[in-house]
Amino acid sequence: MRLVYAGIFPRLCAYIVDGFVFYVITFLLGMLPIVNHFSMLAFSRLSIDLVWLHIWGYLFTLWYYVFFLRRYGATPGKMLFNMTVVMANGQPVTTRAVLLRYGIICLVSTSIVLSLYFFRAHAFLYYVFIALMMILGLWGLGSIYLLISRQDRRVVHDFIAGTVVIKRNGTMDDPELPKTWTTSSSSF
């Protein structure tokens, strides 16, 4: 089975749309400050309540991706740009793969928040914070490099989870992937 991989521009657009959808949902739920982990830097004195709100925000983020990828094979942004996430062999994405795909990012982000809060009491956690920020930065740079340089457009979290982003109905042998969508033409 030959997969038809999603391009760079549609993936970038889908990421922007997903960010917008996610922030609208969290705003409507009254959780906008929760999901913005950089907002922690704006507070001169962090409270444990704010730390817990961030942790709940990351758990909500994880739920968001698990729900949409398991139910529809794609997030709203990916649906809009006719993309789906599947396993590297073309099979539907598994819950384990989704948890690996996004769970590691949420774990690193949560660790950054926790180290930022607790380094006031334990100075060595400042270095943990710096190291985690570097990991997140390298993750992002590595993903950009892979997205540009690889024909299959797989990035770091795709390799960890064993997934790939393809065009909707993006296999030559299986035009019904996933079955929850109807076929439609797209310029992407």
Side-chain angles (χ1 to χ4, degrees):
M1 171 176 15
R2 191 173 137 251
L3 302 175
V4 181
Y5 304 110
I8 296 170
F9 182 71
R11 285 187 73 169
L12 177 63
C13 291
Y15 180 78
I16 291 168
V17 169
D18 285 334
F20 178 75
V21 168
F22 186 74
Y23 279 106
V24 167
I25 290 170
T26 56
F27 177 76
L28 294 174
L29 294 175
M31 296 184 349
L32 188 58
I34 297 170
V35 295
N36 186 0
H37 62 275
F38 293 111
S39 69
M40 296 216 47
L41 300 175
F43 295 93
S44 59
R45 185 171 183 105
L46 302 176
S47 70
I48 194 67
D49 294 333
L50 189 59
V51 171
W52 278 111
L53 285 175
H54 276 68
I55 291 171
W56 283 112
Y58 293 124
L59 290 175
F60 177 77
T61 302
L62 199 54
W63 173 86
Y64 174 87
Y65 285 109
V66 170
F67 173 78
F68 279 107
L69 288 177
R70 285 297 293 143
R71 182 160 177 110
Y72 303 106
T75 58
K78 285 181 176 59
M79 286 186 237
L80 183 64
F81 289 93
N82 283 332
M83 293 182 286
T84 187
V85 179
V86 296
M87 301 304 295
N89 63 5
Q91 296 298 313
V93 70
T94 64
T95 302
R96 179 182 181 274
V98 176
L99 289 172
L100 283 172
R101 187 177 164 88
Y102 296 104
I104 294 173
I105 296 170
C106 287
L107 181 65
V108 170
S109 297
T110 301
S111 300
I112 289 170
V113 169
L114 290 174
S115 65
L116 186 61
Y117 175 76
F118 288 111
F119 86 79
R120 291 180 294 160
H122 305 284
F124 79 93
L125 286 176
Y126 174 75
Y127 299 105
V128 172
F129 169 74
I130 298 298
L132 290 169
M133 289 299 287
M134 290 174 62
I135 289 170
L136 207 55
L138 290 172
W139 182 299
L141 290 174
S143 291
I144 290 169
Y145 173 76
L146 291 170
L147 189 61
I148 293 169
S149 66
R150 292 186 54 89
Q151 183 178 358
D152 62 5
R153 306 293 183 230
R154 291 178 76 189
V155 294
V156 175
H157 58 271
D158 286 318
F159 283 106
I160 291 171
T163 58
V164 64
V165 180
I166 62 171
K167 292 182 180 180
R168 185 187 310 170
N169 301 327
T171 62
M172 296 305 207
D173 302 338
D174 185 9
E176 298 182 42
L177 205 153
K179 294 180 181 179
T180 57
W181 287 338
T182 58
T183 58
S184 65
S185 62
S186 171
S187 60
F188 294 101

